[in-house]
Amino acid sequence: MTHAMITTDTMAAAHTSARLSSRFDAIDSAKGIGIVLVVFGHAWRGAMGAGLISDVKLFALIDSAIYAFHMPLFFFLSGLLFLEGLQKYKTSVLLRGKVTRLLWPMALWTWLFFSLKIFAGTAANTPVDWIDFPFIPLPPFEHLWFLWALFLCQSILVLGYTCVPRNVTTLTLRRSAAVGAVVLAAFSSVIYVPSLIWGPMIENVPYFLAGIAAGGLLAVRSPLWLGSVCAIGFAILLMGVQGSKATVIHSLALLALGWAGWLCLDGVVARAGRSLGVLCYLGQTSMVIYLTHTTFSAAVRIAMLWLGFDGAGGVVLMTVLAGLTLPLSVLWMARRLQLVKLLGF
């Protein structure tokens, strides 16, 4: 093998590695944005529940804008690499992974949260009692509904994939997912299921399917002009929510425009030789933040109110900072004690 051939192979491998790194960076940084909005959304609602926000219209405008896309975003991001996993691993391995990575954390942290709420007593926004302890953690407890809905989405599709003929191409599967996402979103008002067990999964499965469809475009970076148009379109659609709950088709459109714009920005940052390091790190640690942030945010809010600090802005700011940073200390300790898997991180 000549030196030129070695150099060419090395450059090709480096280019492939860079593309993969950029692909995962885009997902991680988007998760970072998502988890910041999750923490802020719960801090915002917590301040409202504590009676700190008097402007009801302002509360509704901000709350509806956040909830129009931040949880749909996590379903979408979870779908991006899902098809690759289906094609790579055995069904038994995939299902076992869903239990350990989604079902177990949901159960464990349901029990832990409920116990902490009992300990907080009347200081909690929604006090609970031992008689209601959820030994069977269903329906999902508070924000942990996401883990249950994602578990159902993924497990059902893993089992469904076993019935798909092996000669069906990846492109066909992605196109089918795209069609399914649009159809389910368009008819979401008709197929609404008022069930805490099945309802959240059925409402959010279009976003997960959209992620599967978009997974084949992870290497594509929109030109700057198109990314700018998508970002403007996203902003206009978000303003259109106007304090009411966004429809599924509205949220799906927000995801499509927002993701296209974000991939463009990711490409610009990558070409400049930089990275969105903080957002990527928050995205990589989003599970521990998601599982534990409400405990720290609520504790800081309760402490501030007890000390006489009742300004909505200050309370929201401090509870957001606590919800984003203090869970990282839990992760550090879990790593030191080798309890990461046991705790569901």
Side-chain angles (χ1 to χ4, degrees):
M1 183 179 290
T2 66
H3 176 71
M5 290 175 66
I6 294 175
T7 302
T8 301
D9 290 345
T10 302
M11 290 176 63
H15 179 66
T16 300
S17 177
R19 282 191 307 159
L20 289 173
S21 176
S22 178
R23 179 176 74 164
F24 290 116
D25 282 351
I27 296 175
D28 285 338
S29 57
K31 282 184 180 179
I33 291 178
I35 200 62
V36 169
L37 290 174
V38 166
V39 175
F40 176 82
H42 287 147
W44 186 244
R45 287 188 169 186
M48 184 66 175
L52 303 180
I53 301 174
S54 58
D55 192 334
V56 177
K57 184 176 181 180
L58 176 64
F59 170 81
L61 283 173
I62 294 177
D63 187 74
S64 61
I66 294 172
Y67 281 83
F69 77 94
H70 80 316
M71 292 315 296
L73 174 64
F74 275 105
F75 282 96
F76 177 84
L77 295 174
S78 298
L80 287 172
L81 301 175
F82 182 73
L83 185 55
E84 294 180 9
L86 277 182
Q87 296 170 332
K88 184 176 180 180
Y89 299 105
K90 294 181 179 179
T91 301
S92 58
V93 173
L94 290 170
L95 291 176
R96 187 164 59 248
K98 306 312 169 193
V99 171
T100 57
R101 294 291 298 147
L102 296 172
L103 205 56
W104 166 244
M106 184 200 75
L108 174 64
W109 287 94
T110 293
W111 299 326
L112 291 175
F113 280 141
F114 204 90
S115 300
L116 289 171
K117 275 210 165 191
I118 292 173
F119 177 77
T122 57
N125 281 352
T126 53
V128 294
D129 193 88
W130 278 114
I131 195 171
D132 300 315
F133 192 87
F135 291 101
I136 298 176
L138 290 174
F141 188 63
E142 296 191 351
H143 66 291
L144 297 173
W145 67 267
F146 167 74
L147 298 179
W148 172 249
L150 187 60
F151 170 78
L152 289 178
C153 277
Q154 294 190 349
S155 299
I156 290 172
L157 288 177
V158 166
L159 293 173
Y161 183 70
T162 61
C163 303
V164 175
R166 291 298 173 259
N167 61 344
V168 176
T169 65
T170 299
L171 180 59
T172 298
L173 291 173
R174 292 199 189 279
R175 286 176 174 173
S176 299
V179 171
V182 173
V183 170
L184 288 175
F187 290 96
S188 59
S189 60
V190 179
I191 59 175
Y192 171 71
V193 177
S195 164
L196 294 176
I197 300 295
W198 296 99
M201 183 275 290
I202 293 173
E203 180 179 352
N204 289 283
V205 72
Y207 313 130
F208 187 74
L209 292 174
I212 294 175
L217 303 174
L218 277 172
V220 177
R221 296 295 183 269
S222 307
L224 185 58
W225 69 268
L226 182 57
S228 301
V229 169
C230 289
I232 293 171
F234 174 85
I236 292 173
L237 273 183
L238 193 59
M239 288 188 293
V241 177
Q242 289 294 317
S244 58
K245 178 177 171 59
T247 63
V248 176
I249 199 71
H250 194 148
S251 293
L252 193 61
L254 281 169
L255 282 178
L257 291 172
W259 182 242
W262 189 251
L263 284 180
C264 174
L265 177 62
D266 177 77
V268 171
V269 171
R271 286 192 294 272
R274 299 180 179 181
S275 66
L276 301 169
V278 174
L279 285 178
C280 285
Y281 181 72
L282 289 175
Q284 292 162 3
T285 56
S286 58
M287 187 59 154
V288 65
I289 296 174
Y290 185 79
L291 288 172
T292 65
H293 75 277
T294 54
T295 298
F296 293 113
S297 293
V300 167
R301 183 179 65 251
I302 291 170
M304 291 184 73
L305 292 176
W306 184 75
L307 292 172
F309 296 99
D310 57 0
V315 171
V316 170
L317 175 62
M318 294 306 297
T319 51
V320 168
L321 290 176
L324 288 173
T325 58
L326 295 181
L328 302 180
S329 64
V330 176
L331 180 60
W332 177 82
M333 184 64 70
R335 286 171 173 168
R336 296 271 295 184
L337 299 175
Q338 298 182 347
L339 296 174
V340 173
K341 289 185 178 180
L342 178 62
L343 294 175
F345 303 154

